[in-house]
Amino acid sequence: MKNIRNFCIIAHIDHGKSTLADRLLQTTKTITDRELKAQTLDDMDLERERGITIKSHAIQMNLKLNGEDYVLNLIDTPGHVDFSYEVSRSIAACEGALLLVDAAQGIEAQTISNLYLAMEQNLTIIPVLNKVDLPSAMVEEVKDEMVDLLGCKREDIIHSSGKTGLGIDEILQAIVTRVPAPKGDVNAPLQAMIFDSVFNSFRGIIAYYRVLNGTLKKGDKVKFFSTQKEYTADEVGILRLSLEPKQEVRAGDVGYIISGIKVASEVKVGDTITHFNQPCLEAVHGFEEVKPMVFAGIYPVETDDYEELRTAMEKLKLNDASLVFEPESSAALGFGFRCGFLGMLHMEIVQERLEREYDMNVIMTLPNVSYFAYTPKGEQLVINNPSDLPPPNLLSHVEEPFISAQIITKSEYIGAIITLCIEKRGFLKSQNYLTPERVELVFEMPLSEIVFDFYDRLKTVSRGYASFDYAPIGMRRSELVKMDILLNSEPVDALSALIHKDNAYDLGKKLCEKLKELIPRHQFEIPIQATIGAKVIARETIRALRKDVTAKCYGGDISRKRKLLEKQKEGKKRMRQVGSVEIPQNAFLAVLKLNQ
């Protein structure tokens, strides 16, 4: 065990984690040059297309140093704030972390956030200054920032370049010398913590775990703590580029187990595996329960696909533990699921993965957040869907979640960013100059305001320089109203939204105009109305497709034409009463793009 090292790489998005991981794999000869491709560990098409890491990836490397053989277990983590739950799980399986900072961009918001996650778990931090070969690298300035943030010595910071391979040997040496070996007893009862799992259509569910105590052998009878179900370890092994079977996995190691589990709900991330005959006394302290930030409905386009969608969601949850869902139904869309996501990018990725990996055509409803509604008697109701809000006569007040938003930017963009945040009902709490050029702004603002387009607009006003990170700070009372959209006098529950009273008129007007563009014309006139309670605050009308019924009348008496027009008018009126309005899928996503 003294020659095992478990470490992860943490950094802000786009600071070169996956490229550095490639160089480490290459230097330790874990993969051959033939197997190597850019961002080797990012194995999803989506990750390669977008150039971001979505999933943590574990891989084992062997290193010979000073005549000794070492085993290094590396976990490459995502950098985007929406995937911070992946990072927290990876950190729990490690003793050390490489903190990567881009020499051209300096310390950014997510760097600080991930650093605090690692410090809470008492990980050894190795500071690495990456991309020092770039012409725009500000090596000395960024080193000053790192010394201020970490309190480390300047000589502890390793210079590296993932592209050229500079500093890779120093990094490997620092991992061996600075990161402590895992603690644990090989002879104690088995205690292993699951930190990830994947579904394989031929072999069932494969769980990835970190062994804290004991030894897991092939053929052992094991049980999972949370479900108390027992299984046989058909295959155990370690994680290389592909799975590598072994006869046993010992304390301190990271490995996988295949035991023919078919039901997704039987494997929980954070659960403990132990022997059936000689169980350990207590479960490992797992991870905190994930708290979804954004809620949206996912519905199948064809209502018959509901069961298939449920199966797809369960398989996806295995691979993405931060996804939360429960069944719900909608008058407009039929049966579907109410899903909780960690942010807008997470929501987009889940929708794309459902379409690509499971061939599901889905409709997403308006994203919103979770509110607390209070009745005059003092009862608290949790509102995940605007349609659940009680009527005004049964409502005392509503509370909404607030966040503390940390924005790091260049000083020249402060004005534009403060204007944007105040427009989104934010309060400036503090403003700290990290260097004469870089400023940290801390705002308190409602989570519902950043759900739609805040991140995109922040990038626009700061020309891509601002980095953004947020943390929930609790619920606060707000003047919120429920805005309904009526189509042909029928409410469409999938388009309802809970919004602040001051923004209701503007949003209602914009939404009605957008729907008028997107909904095709019908044989009858369709009024689109935005309402709060019984009060209509905005209205647009889609004109009817009209057939010229008087075309066949050549001259003659006007009363003949009038009779035909009156008959047509009656028909349109009857059609409007019984006709249903076809809403195209892109109309449900219209609200997200209102400001574009």
Side-chain angles (χ1 to χ4, degrees), residues 337-349:
F337 295 95
R338 181 101 198 129
C339 303
F341 308 97
L342 294 182
M344 289 296 284
L345 178 67
H346 186 208
M347 176 177 121
E348 211 178 301
I349 294 291

Side-chain angles (χ1 to χ4, degrees), residues 32 52 67 109 139 326 332 337 350 415 491 542-543 559:
T32 60
I52 57 174
V139 175
E326 57 185 37
F337 295 95
V350 166
I542 300 174
R543 312 300 313 170
S559 60

Side-chain angles (χ1 to χ4, degrees), residues 107 142-154 157:
I107 287 170
V142 178
K143 276 175 88 169
D144 289 340
E145 288 180 30
M146 290 172 80
V147 170
D148 288 346
L149 177 67
L150 288 163
C152 62
K153 296 176 185 155
R154 285 178 79 85
I157 299 171

